[in-house]
Amino acid sequence: MAARVFVITGPSGVGKGTLIRALLERVPELELSVSATTRPPRPGERDGVDYHFLSDAEFDRRVGAGEFVEHADYARHRYGTLRSELERRVGAGAPVVLEIEVQGARQVREAMPESVQVFIAPPAPEALRERLLKRGTDDPATVEARLEVARGELRARDEFPHVVVNDRLDRAVDELEALVRRELVPAA
Ligand code: 5GP
């Protein structure tokens, strides 16, 4: 079976992380690529597990060395997918999930047109603010910065071949799981 790369994108606060955790439980052969970021760890986040936490200088060095498949600035911090993360998994034949924002998804689309791109949309734009505030991981200024970015990201929805509306978690996970399983079936 050919290894596949699944790009799951959508605005911050739409619930990508929660959906992906549920997806990984249902489809255990999927592996999540651990991104690099310059943002500080949130309480409970572990280096090398949730992210590779890098200084700005180290991030720049790795950009210069061509170590990223894609990278983007997002709400005052930098995020990127390390080539090593992806190649190790794809090389071992594992299907890989990338949880990334829209600019990064566009770069992966260019570099790997065979990747499967899924946009997670909120049932209504107001749902994002509620979720970001309820999550409580960001101060109000950061929430506003993220919402500003999210408004632009919502307009990117039509660029994506697959859109899953995160209206109810279990229903959205069902839809995402079905989509992933369809793509994992080897072509006859
Ligand atoms: P957070 O700071 O909430 O963990 O992530 C902020 C945004 O960055 C989210 O939309 C998340 O999906 C995105 N993100 C996480 N890792 C990457 C990455 O490797 N590349 C890109 N382009 N975006 C990422």
Side-chain angles (χ1 to χ4, degrees):
M1 180 198 300
R4 308 241 41 183
V5 174
F6 294 92
V7 175
I8 304 204
T9 191
S12 181
V14 78
K16 299 193 288 292
T18 311
L19 268 175
I20 289 172
R21 272 195 300 279
L23 175 70
L24 294 176
E25 273 179 25
R26 291 198 195 179
V27 191
E29 67 262 42
L30 288 177
E31 294 193 10
L32 186 62
S33 164
V34 179
S35 295
T37 184
T38 61
R39 100 156 149 63
R42 294 179 181 138
E45 283 185 336
R46 285 173 298 161
D47 188 31
V49 176
D50 299 286
Y51 278 106
H52 299 288
F53 293 101
L54 304 181
S55 66
D56 269 307
E58 178 62 9
F59 199 100
D60 277 341
R61 188 191 68 71
R62 291 184 180 226
V63 171
E67 292 185 22
F68 286 104
V69 179
E70 60 76 31
H71 62 92
D73 288 0
Y74 187 92
R76 298 193 299 253
H77 296 293
R78 313 181 72 193
Y79 296 83
T81 303
L82 289 164
R83 213 172 281 288
S84 56
E85 279 284 324
L86 202 56
E87 282 174 1
R88 180 161 49 83
R89 295 184 162 90
V90 171
V96 183
V97 174
L98 305 183
E99 187 216 315
I100 62 180
E101 51 68 72
V102 167
Q103 302 166 72
R106 290 187 180 121
Q107 293 171 42
V108 177
R109 187 198 300 151
E110 287 291 309
M112 311 172 77
E114 72 285 6
S115 61
V116 181
Q117 301 237 335
V118 187
F119 186 91
I120 310 294
E126 312 83 69
L128 294 180
R129 181 188 300 270
E130 270 170 42
R131 197 181 249 281
L132 285 174
L133 289 172
K134 208 164 78 191
R135 187 163 78 177
T137 47
D138 299 304
D139 58 69
T142 305
V143 168
E144 287 313 314
R146 282 173 179 256
L147 282 172
E148 187 52 41
V149 178
R151 280 189 274 274
E153 290 188 313
L154 283 175
R155 288 193 290 273
R157 169 181 175 143
D158 293 346
E159 291 173 27
F160 291 87
H162 305 288
V163 176
V164 172
V165 177
N166 192 13
D167 43 8
R168 276 202 358 260
L169 181 66
D170 51 349
R171 195 213 59 78
V173 178
D174 284 349
E175 188 179 343
L176 194 56
E177 179 186 2
L179 194 163
V180 165
R181 290 198 182 279
R182 267 198 313 276
E183 295 290 339
L184 286 177
V185 172

